[in-house]
Short mmCIF file of all heavy atoms in Angstrom, two decimals:
data_model
loop_
_atom_site.label_atom_id
_atom_site.label_comp_id
_atom_site.label_asym_id
_atom_site.label_seq_id
_atom_site.Cartn_x
_atom_site.Cartn_y
_atom_site.Cartn_z
N ASP E 1 -2.60 24.92 -37.63
CA ASP E 1 -3.67 25.28 -38.56
C ASP E 1 -3.47 24.52 -39.85
O ASP E 1 -2.36 24.53 -40.41
CB ASP E 1 -3.68 26.78 -38.82
CG ASP E 1 -4.90 27.21 -39.62
OD1 ASP E 1 -6.01 26.75 -39.27
OD2 ASP E 1 -4.76 27.98 -40.58
N GLY E 2 -4.53 23.85 -40.31
CA GLY E 2 -4.44 23.09 -41.56
C GLY E 2 -4.88 21.64 -41.41
O GLY E 2 -4.81 20.87 -42.37
N GLN E 3 -5.35 21.28 -40.20
CA GLN E 3 -5.74 19.89 -40.00
C GLN E 3 -6.83 19.44 -40.97
O GLN E 3 -6.76 18.35 -41.55
CB GLN E 3 -6.25 19.66 -38.57
CG GLN E 3 -6.59 18.20 -38.30
CD GLN E 3 -7.86 17.96 -37.50
OE1 GLN E 3 -8.40 16.87 -37.52
NE2 GLN E 3 -8.35 18.96 -36.79
N GLN E 4 -7.86 20.28 -41.16
CA GLN E 4 -8.97 19.88 -42.02
C GLN E 4 -8.50 19.67 -43.46
O GLN E 4 -8.90 18.72 -44.13
CB GLN E 4 -10.08 20.95 -41.97
CG GLN E 4 -10.62 21.24 -40.57
CD GLN E 4 -11.25 20.04 -39.90
OE1 GLN E 4 -11.95 19.25 -40.53
NE2 GLN E 4 -11.01 19.89 -38.60
N ARG E 5 -7.61 20.55 -43.93
CA ARG E 5 -7.10 20.43 -45.30
C ARG E 5 -6.20 19.20 -45.46
O ARG E 5 -6.33 18.44 -46.42
CB ARG E 5 -6.35 21.70 -45.69
CG ARG E 5 -7.27 22.88 -46.01
CD ARG E 5 -6.51 24.18 -46.02
NE ARG E 5 -6.18 24.62 -44.67
CZ ARG E 5 -5.21 25.50 -44.37
NH1 ARG E 5 -4.48 26.02 -45.34
NH2 ARG E 5 -4.99 25.85 -43.13
N LEU E 6 -5.30 19.00 -44.52
CA LEU E 6 -4.38 17.85 -44.61
C LEU E 6 -5.13 16.53 -44.48
O LEU E 6 -4.86 15.58 -45.22
CB LEU E 6 -3.31 17.96 -43.53
CG LEU E 6 -2.29 19.09 -43.71
CD1 LEU E 6 -1.38 19.19 -42.50
CD2 LEU E 6 -1.46 18.88 -44.98
N THR E 7 -6.08 16.47 -43.55
CA THR E 7 -6.86 15.24 -43.39
C THR E 7 -7.71 14.98 -44.64
O THR E 7 -7.85 13.84 -45.08
CB THR E 7 -7.77 15.31 -42.15
OG1 THR E 7 -6.98 15.64 -41.00
CG2 THR E 7 -8.47 13.98 -41.90
N SER E 8 -8.26 16.04 -45.22
CA SER E 8 -9.06 15.91 -46.45
C SER E 8 -8.22 15.33 -47.58
O SER E 8 -8.66 14.44 -48.31
CB SER E 8 -9.62 17.26 -46.86
OG SER E 8 -10.54 17.74 -45.91
N LEU E 9 -7.00 15.85 -47.73
CA LEU E 9 -6.13 15.37 -48.81
C LEU E 9 -5.72 13.92 -48.57
O LEU E 9 -5.66 13.13 -49.51
CB LEU E 9 -4.90 16.27 -48.92
CG LEU E 9 -5.18 17.67 -49.48
CD1 LEU E 9 -3.96 18.56 -49.32
CD2 LEU E 9 -5.58 17.58 -50.95
N LEU E 10 -5.45 13.57 -47.32
CA LEU E 10 -5.11 12.17 -47.01
C LEU E 10 -6.31 11.27 -47.30
O LEU E 10 -6.14 10.16 -47.85
CB LEU E 10 -4.68 12.04 -45.55
CG LEU E 10 -4.16 10.67 -45.12
CD1 LEU E 10 -2.91 10.28 -45.90
CD2 LEU E 10 -3.87 10.64 -43.61
N LEU E 11 -7.51 11.73 -46.97
CA LEU E 11 -8.72 10.96 -47.25
C LEU E 11 -8.89 10.73 -48.75
O LEU E 11 -9.19 9.61 -49.19
CB LEU E 11 -9.94 11.69 -46.69
CG LEU E 11 -11.31 11.08 -46.98
CD1 LEU E 11 -11.44 9.69 -46.37
CD2 LEU E 11 -12.43 12.00 -46.45
N VAL E 12 -8.67 11.76 -49.55
CA VAL E 12 -8.81 11.62 -51.00
C VAL E 12 -7.75 10.68 -51.55
O VAL E 12 -8.02 9.85 -52.43
CB VAL E 12 -8.73 13.00 -51.69
CG1 VAL E 12 -8.63 12.85 -53.20
CG2 VAL E 12 -9.94 13.84 -51.33
N HIS E 13 -6.52 10.76 -51.04
CA HIS E 13 -5.45 9.88 -51.51
C HIS E 13 -5.74 8.42 -51.19
O HIS E 13 -5.43 7.54 -51.99
CB HIS E 13 -4.12 10.30 -50.88
CG HIS E 13 -3.41 11.37 -51.65
ND1 HIS E 13 -2.17 11.18 -52.22
CD2 HIS E 13 -3.77 12.64 -51.95
CE1 HIS E 13 -1.79 12.29 -52.83
NE2 HIS E 13 -2.75 13.20 -52.68
N LYS E 14 -6.33 8.16 -50.04
CA LYS E 14 -6.55 6.78 -49.61
C LYS E 14 -7.96 6.28 -49.89
O LYS E 14 -8.20 5.08 -49.96
CB LYS E 14 -6.23 6.64 -48.12
CG LYS E 14 -4.76 6.94 -47.79
CD LYS E 14 -4.48 6.82 -46.31
CE LYS E 14 -4.42 5.37 -45.87
NZ LYS E 14 -3.24 4.67 -46.41
N GLY E 15 -8.92 7.20 -50.01
CA GLY E 15 -10.32 6.81 -50.24
C GLY E 15 -11.08 6.51 -48.97
O GLY E 15 -12.30 6.63 -48.91
N LYS E 16 -10.34 6.13 -47.93
CA LYS E 16 -10.97 5.75 -46.66
C LYS E 16 -9.95 5.96 -45.54
O LYS E 16 -8.77 5.68 -45.70
CB LYS E 16 -11.40 4.28 -46.72
CG LYS E 16 -12.15 3.78 -45.50
CD LYS E 16 -12.45 2.29 -45.62
CE LYS E 16 -13.35 1.99 -46.81
NZ LYS E 16 -13.72 0.54 -46.89
N LEU E 17 -10.43 6.45 -44.40
CA LEU E 17 -9.59 6.61 -43.22
C LEU E 17 -10.31 6.07 -42.00
O LEU E 17 -11.54 6.14 -41.91
CB LEU E 17 -9.28 8.10 -42.98
CG LEU E 17 -8.27 8.81 -43.88
CD1 LEU E 17 -8.16 10.26 -43.45
CD2 LEU E 17 -6.91 8.13 -43.83
N VAL E 18 -9.54 5.53 -41.08
CA VAL E 18 -10.08 5.13 -39.77
C VAL E 18 -9.33 5.94 -38.73
O VAL E 18 -8.10 5.88 -38.64
CB VAL E 18 -9.90 3.63 -39.52
CG1 VAL E 18 -10.42 3.28 -38.12
CG2 VAL E 18 -10.61 2.81 -40.58
N ARG E 19 -10.08 6.70 -37.96
CA ARG E 19 -9.47 7.55 -36.93
C ARG E 19 -10.29 7.47 -35.66
O ARG E 19 -11.50 7.65 -35.69
CB ARG E 19 -9.37 8.99 -37.42
CG ARG E 19 -8.68 9.92 -36.46
CD ARG E 19 -8.32 11.21 -37.17
NE ARG E 19 -8.30 12.31 -36.24
CZ ARG E 19 -8.19 13.58 -36.60
NH1 ARG E 19 -8.10 13.89 -37.87
NH2 ARG E 19 -8.15 14.54 -35.71
N ASN E 20 -9.63 7.16 -34.57
CA ASN E 20 -10.31 6.99 -33.28
C ASN E 20 -11.48 6.01 -33.39
O ASN E 20 -12.54 6.20 -32.81
CB ASN E 20 -10.82 8.34 -32.75
CG ASN E 20 -9.69 9.30 -32.47
OD1 ASN E 20 -8.59 8.89 -32.09
ND2 ASN E 20 -9.93 10.59 -32.65
N GLY E 21 -11.27 4.96 -34.18
CA GLY E 21 -12.28 3.93 -34.34
C GLY E 21 -13.41 4.29 -35.29
O GLY E 21 -14.33 3.49 -35.50
N LYS E 22 -13.37 5.48 -35.88
CA LYS E 22 -14.42 5.92 -36.79
C LYS E 22 -13.91 5.85 -38.22
O LYS E 22 -12.82 6.33 -38.52
CB LYS E 22 -14.86 7.34 -36.46
CG LYS E 22 -15.44 7.50 -35.06
CD LYS E 22 -15.78 8.96 -34.79
CE LYS E 22 -16.31 9.15 -33.39
NZ LYS E 22 -16.59 10.59 -33.10
N GLU E 23 -14.72 5.26 -39.10
CA GLU E 23 -14.34 5.14 -40.50
C GLU E 23 -14.96 6.28 -41.31
O GLU E 23 -16.12 6.62 -41.13
CB GLU E 23 -14.81 3.80 -41.07
CG GLU E 23 -14.37 3.58 -42.51
CD GLU E 23 -14.75 2.21 -43.02
OE1 GLU E 23 -14.06 1.24 -42.68
OE2 GLU E 23 -15.77 2.12 -43.76
N ARG E 24 -14.14 6.85 -42.17
CA ARG E 24 -14.61 7.92 -43.05
C ARG E 24 -14.22 7.55 -44.48
O ARG E 24 -13.09 7.17 -44.75
CB ARG E 24 -13.95 9.23 -42.64
CG ARG E 24 -14.32 10.43 -43.49
CD ARG E 24 -15.78 10.85 -43.32
NE ARG E 24 -16.04 12.04 -44.13
CZ ARG E 24 -15.86 13.28 -43.69
NH1 ARG E 24 -15.41 13.51 -42.47
NH2 ARG E 24 -16.14 14.31 -44.48
N GLU E 25 -15.17 7.68 -45.39
CA GLU E 25 -14.93 7.29 -46.77
C GLU E 25 -15.36 8.41 -47.70
O GLU E 25 -16.28 9.18 -47.40
CB GLU E 25 -15.71 6.01 -47.09
CG GLU E 25 -15.47 5.46 -48.49
CD GLU E 25 -16.21 4.16 -48.74
OE1 GLU E 25 -17.15 3.87 -47.97
OE2 GLU E 25 -15.86 3.44 -49.69
N ILE E 26 -14.68 8.52 -48.83
CA ILE E 26 -15.11 9.47 -49.85
C ILE E 26 -14.97 8.81 -51.22
O ILE E 26 -14.01 8.09 -51.49
CB ILE E 26 -14.29 10.78 -49.80
CG1 ILE E 26 -14.92 11.84 -50.73
CG2 ILE E 26 -12.83 10.55 -50.20
CD1 ILE E 26 -14.40 13.24 -50.51
N LYS E 27 -15.97 9.05 -52.07
CA LYS E 27 -15.93 8.62 -53.47
C LYS E 27 -16.14 9.87 -54.31
O LYS E 27 -17.26 10.28 -54.59
CB LYS E 27 -17.00 7.57 -53.75
CG LYS E 27 -16.74 6.24 -53.01
CD LYS E 27 -17.81 5.20 -53.31
CE LYS E 27 -17.51 3.91 -52.58
NZ LYS E 27 -18.55 2.87 -52.83
N LEU E 28 -15.02 10.46 -54.66
CA LEU E 28 -15.02 11.71 -55.41
C LEU E 28 -14.65 11.42 -56.86
O LEU E 28 -13.70 10.68 -57.12
CB LEU E 28 -14.01 12.68 -54.79
CG LEU E 28 -13.82 14.03 -55.49
CD1 LEU E 28 -15.13 14.82 -55.53
CD2 LEU E 28 -12.72 14.83 -54.79
N TYR E 29 -15.40 12.02 -57.79
CA TYR E 29 -15.20 11.74 -59.21
C TYR E 29 -14.88 13.02 -59.98
O TYR E 29 -15.29 14.12 -59.60
CB TYR E 29 -16.45 11.07 -59.79
CG TYR E 29 -16.57 9.62 -59.39
CD1 TYR E 29 -17.04 9.27 -58.12
CD2 TYR E 29 -16.19 8.59 -60.25
CE1 TYR E 29 -17.13 7.94 -57.74
CE2 TYR E 29 -16.27 7.26 -59.88
CZ TYR E 29 -16.74 6.94 -58.63
OH TYR E 29 -16.81 5.63 -58.25
N PHE E 30 -14.16 12.83 -61.07
CA PHE E 30 -13.74 13.95 -61.93
C PHE E 30 -14.09 13.63 -63.36
O PHE E 30 -13.82 12.54 -63.86
CB PHE E 30 -12.23 14.15 -61.79
CG PHE E 30 -11.64 15.17 -62.71
CD1 PHE E 30 -12.08 16.49 -62.69
CD2 PHE E 30 -10.63 14.83 -63.61
CE1 PHE E 30 -11.52 17.45 -63.54
CE2 PHE E 30 -10.07 15.77 -64.46
CZ PHE E 30 -10.52 17.08 -64.41
N ASN E 31 -14.71 14.62 -64.03
CA ASN E 31 -15.02 14.52 -65.45
C ASN E 31 -14.04 15.42 -66.20
O ASN E 31 -14.17 16.65 -66.18
CB ASN E 31 -16.46 14.99 -65.70
CG ASN E 31 -16.85 14.98 -67.16
OD1 ASN E 31 -16.00 14.96 -68.05
ND2 ASN E 31 -18.15 14.99 -67.42
N PRO E 32 -13.01 14.85 -66.83
CA PRO E 32 -11.99 15.67 -67.48
C PRO E 32 -12.50 16.41 -68.71
O PRO E 32 -11.92 17.42 -69.10
CB PRO E 32 -10.90 14.67 -67.84
CG PRO E 32 -11.60 13.36 -67.95
CD PRO E 32 -12.70 13.41 -66.93
N ILE E 33 -13.58 15.93 -69.32
CA ILE E 33 -14.12 16.62 -70.50
C ILE E 33 -14.66 17.99 -70.11
O ILE E 33 -14.35 19.00 -70.72
CB ILE E 33 -15.21 15.77 -71.17
CG1 ILE E 33 -14.62 14.44 -71.67
CG2 ILE E 33 -15.84 16.54 -72.34
CD1 ILE E 33 -15.65 13.47 -72.19
N ASP E 34 -15.47 18.00 -69.05
CA ASP E 34 -16.06 19.26 -68.57
C ASP E 34 -15.27 19.86 -67.41
O ASP E 34 -15.63 20.94 -66.92
CB ASP E 34 -17.51 19.01 -68.11
CG ASP E 34 -18.40 18.52 -69.24
OD1 ASP E 34 -18.19 18.98 -70.38
OD2 ASP E 34 -19.27 17.67 -68.98
N GLU E 35 -14.23 19.17 -66.98
CA GLU E 35 -13.42 19.59 -65.83
C GLU E 35 -14.30 19.88 -64.61
O GLU E 35 -14.23 20.93 -63.98
CB GLU E 35 -12.55 20.79 -66.19
CG GLU E 35 -11.53 20.45 -67.29
CD GLU E 35 -10.59 21.60 -67.60
OE1 GLU E 35 -11.01 22.47 -68.40
OE2 GLU E 35 -9.48 21.62 -67.06
N GLU E 36 -15.11 18.90 -64.29
CA GLU E 36 -16.10 19.03 -63.22
C GLU E 36 -15.86 17.94 -62.17
O GLU E 36 -15.47 16.82 -62.50
CB GLU E 36 -17.51 18.90 -63.80
CG GLU E 36 -18.63 19.01 -62.78
CD GLU E 36 -20.01 18.79 -63.39
OE1 GLU E 36 -20.09 18.59 -64.62
OE2 GLU E 36 -20.98 18.79 -62.64
N PHE E 37 -16.12 18.27 -60.91
CA PHE E 37 -16.01 17.32 -59.81
C PHE E 37 -17.39 17.06 -59.21
O PHE E 37 -18.18 17.99 -59.04
CB PHE E 37 -15.09 17.86 -58.71
CG PHE E 37 -13.64 18.00 -59.12
CD1 PHE E 37 -13.20 19.14 -59.76
CD2 PHE E 37 -12.74 16.97 -58.87
CE1 PHE E 37 -11.88 19.27 -60.14
CE2 PHE E 37 -11.41 17.09 -59.24
CZ PHE E 37 -10.97 18.24 -59.88
N GLN E 38 -17.65 15.80 -58.87
CA GLN E 38 -18.88 15.45 -58.16
C GLN E 38 -18.60 14.30 -57.22
O GLN E 38 -17.75 13.44 -57.49
CB GLN E 38 -19.99 15.05 -59.14
CG GLN E 38 -20.64 16.21 -59.88
CD GLN E 38 -21.96 15.82 -60.52
OE1 GLN E 38 -22.69 14.97 -59.99
NE2 GLN E 38 -22.27 16.42 -61.66
N LEU E 39 -19.35 14.27 -56.11
CA LEU E 39 -19.36 13.09 -55.26
C LEU E 39 -20.21 12.03 -55.95
O LEU E 39 -21.08 12.35 -56.75
CB LEU E 39 -19.92 13.44 -53.89
CG LEU E 39 -19.10 14.46 -53.08
CD1 LEU E 39 -19.88 14.92 -51.85
CD2 LEU E 39 -17.76 13.87 -52.67
N GLU E 40 -19.94 10.78 -55.64
CA GLU E 40 -20.65 9.68 -56.30
C GLU E 40 -22.16 9.85 -56.17
O GLU E 40 -22.67 10.15 -55.09
CB GLU E 40 -20.24 8.34 -55.70
CG GLU E 40 -20.88 7.15 -56.43
CD GLU E 40 -20.52 5.82 -55.79
OE1 GLU E 40 -20.66 5.70 -54.56
OE2 GLU E 40 -20.11 4.92 -56.51
N ASN E 41 -22.86 9.67 -57.28
CA ASN E 41 -24.32 9.73 -57.28
C ASN E 41 -24.81 8.93 -58.49
O ASN E 41 -24.04 8.63 -59.41
CB ASN E 41 -24.81 11.18 -57.32
CG ASN E 41 -24.42 11.90 -58.59
OD1 ASN E 41 -25.02 11.67 -59.65
ND2 ASN E 41 -23.40 12.77 -58.51
#
């Protein structure tokens, strides 16, 4: 138990993962002034 959390953290650390031939990418941003998180937009 914990695969989704561990894979998510690895994805955030690397920005991109390739697993079983499938590429997954995340562009997550943080605003330290408001302490807010958003996906790229």
Side-chain angles (χ1 to χ4, degrees):
D1 188 45
Q3 183 221 162
Q4 303 299 320
R5 284 165 286 160
L6 291 173
T7 306
S8 295
L9 289 170
L10 186 61
L11 175 62
V12 170
H13 274 242
K14 298 179 75 68
K16 184 184 297 184
L17 286 179
V18 178
R19 183 165 152 189
N20 296 328
K22 299 177 182 177
E23 183 176 282
R24 179 68 178 272
E25 184 177 18
I26 190 166
K27 293 181 180 179
L28 177 61
Y29 285 79
F30 174 59
N31 177 341
I33 297 173
D34 299 324
E35 296 184 277
E36 180 184 358
F37 293 86
Q38 284 196 33
L39 296 169
E40 184 183 50
N41 64 76

